[in-house]
Amino acid sequence: MAVMMQAFYWDAPKHDKKEGEWWNFVAEKVEDLGKAGFDALWLPPVSKASDHSSMGYDPYDYFDLGDFDQKGGTKTYYGNRAELEALIAKAHANGICLYADMVLNHNSGADEEEVNPLDGQKRWTKFNPKSGKFPRDWNCFHPSRYEQVMMEGENFAGFPHLCHRNPVVYTAMFEYARFLIEELGFDGFRFDFVKGFGAWIIGLLAKYRYVKDGNEFTPYVVGEMWSGGEDIEHWLDKVNKLTDTQIAAFDFPLRYKLKDVCDKPSYDLRNLTDGGAVVMKRPMHAATFVDNHDMGDNAIINDKMMAYSFIMVHEGYPSIFWYDYYNNGLARPLTPNGIDALVIAHHKYAGGDSEILHADPDLYIMQRVGYKDDKVDQPGLIYVLNNLGDKWSGTSVKTKWPNQKFAPIAWDGHDTAHPDERTTDAEGNSEFPAPPRGFAIYAPV
């Protein structure tokens, strides 16, 4: 029922020649994104990092949004507070929510080295931010008097790691989260590198009683647990015990399966049916995606629309990558062959449970059974994924719809031909094909 966009990629301001102007650049796209059906934008870290041209994953001053001359410049890589607030206001006016990227595990860019008396080691842990908020010293980092040894999590890249058990630290984290929601207008959080720190701090920040427009507000929360299915399952269990089971995780296991679908032509599609993916076990807690800013050399190279088609017709909260949509040209508006057509299919038809109708090494067919209430009417769909590189492929399957005509609403692959309409028999049977190395989505009409 919703689609988010990751509204950046690595060094996006530099590559798109929008350094210090990214918030304005995204704002230019907001109206079109709203019309296309996007419900939310995940923005990069908004705070001043160890350098003004940093991506923000090395935070220095959480409360400098590009208005203080420090770390080499005044604006952040993306802009300043006024430009960010203008983007948020425009997004809300177009029905789009905003999710803030929360980097709470570590800091960088300290102003001084100091000796930690607990172990005698010298580290860069003295911070004197020009915002005047959250100055900190060695006792705000590990090892601290509040936690001499990290009780949970793991170290990352040699950065000083915040000790959230220090009341000064978690008070600052509460204030930062409240500032983002209540003063700037964000609608949710994406927590970076959640394996690095205790799940309890995310639970506390998620359950704070935020107030927006005079009403209590519950943010959307998703964590980046970059790990295997069992680790993600364990983290979800732990963090959701602290909340009303509201917290999701990015589905890394599914993403790596989809990379193999796209980049390994002989990949066995039956692997998509097992329980390794978050979306197959806990669809309400799955944020599905194809690529993101961290993938680098591991990005999907071939037939990427196969992966996008899969996440857009199954359960979970799908995330579209800005670079694919714009820079790789996969939006393909006003055609049945791009992401825009998949967003329409997601909103209009992809309701109810997913039921796998057929799976063999080269062919996967699924139906969404549909969902209807006072506000929603999604009649369901048939989805076909074809792994064969040299021919159309399909097979007869028994659907839930007897004597029903189906029209193709989205498709792509190594053939430009238009799929034909299909009609099921009295038992709901019909053959549904898809193009070579491609997909087809059929909707009841």
Side-chain angles (χ1 to χ4, degrees):
M1 283 295 296
V3 182
M4 82 170 87
M5 172 174 280
Q6 179 182 350
F8 65 100
Y9 59 95
W10 199 262
D11 279 333
K14 178 180 178 180
H15 291 302
D16 275 324
K17 297 180 172 57
K18 299 294 180 182
E19 292 176 83
E21 300 293 331
W22 190 253
W23 301 144
N24 295 332
F25 185 54
V26 175
E28 293 172 4
K29 309 288 188 182
V30 159
E31 187 174 354
D32 288 341
L33 290 172
K35 290 177 180 177
F38 287 91
D39 303 275
L41 300 179
W42 156 25
L43 299 185
V46 300
S47 304
K48 185 69 62 68
S50 64
D51 187 274
H52 74 291
S53 60
S54 164
M55 285 291 293
Y57 290 95
D58 49 346
Y60 168 76
D61 187 345
Y62 285 104
F63 297 92
D64 176 9
L65 307 187
D67 300 305
F68 295 90
D69 186 0
Q70 57 183 344
K71 298 305 170 185
T74 300
K75 281 190 171 185
T76 70
Y77 210 15
Y78 311 108
N80 60 27
R81 176 173 177 170
E83 293 162 347
L84 174 61
E85 289 180 323
L87 166 59
I88 293 171
K90 188 173 182 181
H92 285 164
N94 285 273
I96 297 176
C97 295
L98 285 302
Y99 302 150
D101 206 321
M102 304 287 279
V103 187
L104 308 186
N105 177 67
H106 52 268
N107 289 172
S108 185
D111 301 295
E112 298 177 39
E113 279 187 300
E114 55 182 356
V115 174
N116 185 319
L118 296 178
D119 62 5
Q121 292 191 30
K122 182 180 282 191
R123 298 180 179 89
W124 288 92
T125 50
K126 187 71 172 179
F127 288 73
N128 297 299
K130 284 191 176 180
S131 71
K133 297 182 178 180
F134 194 30
R136 47 213 185 271
D137 62 13
W138 66 268
N139 206 27
C140 292
F141 300 92
H142 293 287
S144 166
R145 286 198 175 100
Y146 296 91
E147 190 174 53
Q148 292 195 32
V149 178
M150 289 179 65
M151 296 176 65
E152 298 178 88
E154 59 184 59
N155 289 310
F156 177 74
F159 289 114
H161 284 59
L162 286 168
C163 177
H164 297 122
R165 297 183 187 276
N166 182 333
V168 171
V169 175
Y170 70 67
T171 298
M173 297 299 97
F174 269 114
E175 174 57 20
Y176 180 54
R178 187 206 62 77
F179 168 67
L180 292 171
I181 296 289
E182 297 185 355
E183 295 187 36
L184 293 180
F186 276 97
D187 305 284
F189 303 123
R190 178 263 187 189
F191 283 92
D192 181 65
F193 193 67
V194 300
K195 66 169 61 176
F197 54 96
W200 61 271
I201 187 67
I202 295 177
L204 291 176
L205 295 178
K207 291 309 296 176
Y208 182 81
R209 299 175 75 167
Y210 300 96
V211 176
K212 287 184 72 174
D213 302 322
N215 300 307
E216 286 199 12
F217 177 79
T218 300
Y220 173 75
V221 179
V222 60
E224 183 213 26
M225 171 56 78
W226 194 338
S227 191
E230 289 187 8
D231 288 343
I232 296 174
E233 183 83 6
H234 178 68
W235 182 81
L236 282 170
D237 284 341
K238 186 160 52 174
V239 75
N240 279 306
K241 285 179 181 178
L242 305 168
T243 69
D244 298 325
T245 66
Q246 74 194 72
I247 297 177
F250 280 105
D251 197 341
F252 282 90
L254 176 63
R255 187 269 167 189
Y256 284 104
K257 290 176 183 286
L258 294 176
K259 176 174 172 58
D260 287 342
V261 168
C262 298
D263 288 342
K264 295 181 179 179
S266 61
Y267 184 73
D268 190 334
L269 297 184
R270 291 174 296 184
N271 292 327
L272 295 171
T273 68
D274 65 26
V278 180
V279 72
M280 296 299 180
K281 288 184 176 180
R282 309 175 68 146
M284 296 299 292
H285 294 144
T288 55
F289 71 103
V290 171
D291 266 331
N292 67 25
H293 64 294
D294 280 327
M295 288 305 165
D297 293 340
N298 194 251
I300 295 173
I301 304 300
N302 303 294
D303 304 317
K304 190 173 278 192
M305 286 301 299
M306 295 175 72
Y308 274 115
S309 71
F310 191 93
I311 70 169
M312 295 300 285
V313 298
H314 286 78
E315 291 102 327
Y317 190 171
S319 177
I320 307 299
F321 190 30
W322 178 284
Y323 191 85
D324 288 335
Y325 191 81
Y326 287 113
N327 302 71
N328 280 340
L330 296 184
R332 300 172 184 168
L334 305 178
T335 78
N337 314 121
I339 290 174
D340 276 3
L342 294 176
V343 174
I344 293 171
H346 176 86
H347 284 305
K348 291 186 66 175
Y349 299 100
D353 293 337
S354 297
E355 296 179 354
I356 298 171
L357 304 180
H358 176 87
D360 66 37
D362 298 310
L363 186 66
Y364 174 97
I365 304 178
M366 178 273 288
Q367 69 178 2
R368 291 294 295 271
V369 301
Y371 179 80
K372 185 175 182 179
D373 63 16
D374 293 339
K375 298 180 180 180
V376 176
D377 186 1
Q378 296 171 296
L381 54 78
I382 302 293
Y383 170 69
V384 187
L385 187 65
N386 174 19
N387 201 27
L388 295 175
D390 58 351
K391 63 181 178 181
W392 284 69
S393 182
T395 192
S396 181
V397 291
K398 182 178 178 59
T399 76
K400 62 159 285 186
W401 294 277
N403 301 313
Q404 177 67 56
K405 180 185 288 187
F406 285 82
I409 58 170
W411 65 89
D412 188 51
H414 292 199
D415 192 323
T416 59
H418 189 303
D420 295 328
E421 291 186 344
R422 299 281 153 172
T423 301
T424 59
D425 63 19
E427 279 73 49
N429 298 296
S430 186
E431 182 178 349
F432 294 89
R437 291 291 292 165
F439 69 91
I441 301 170
Y442 298 85
V445 295

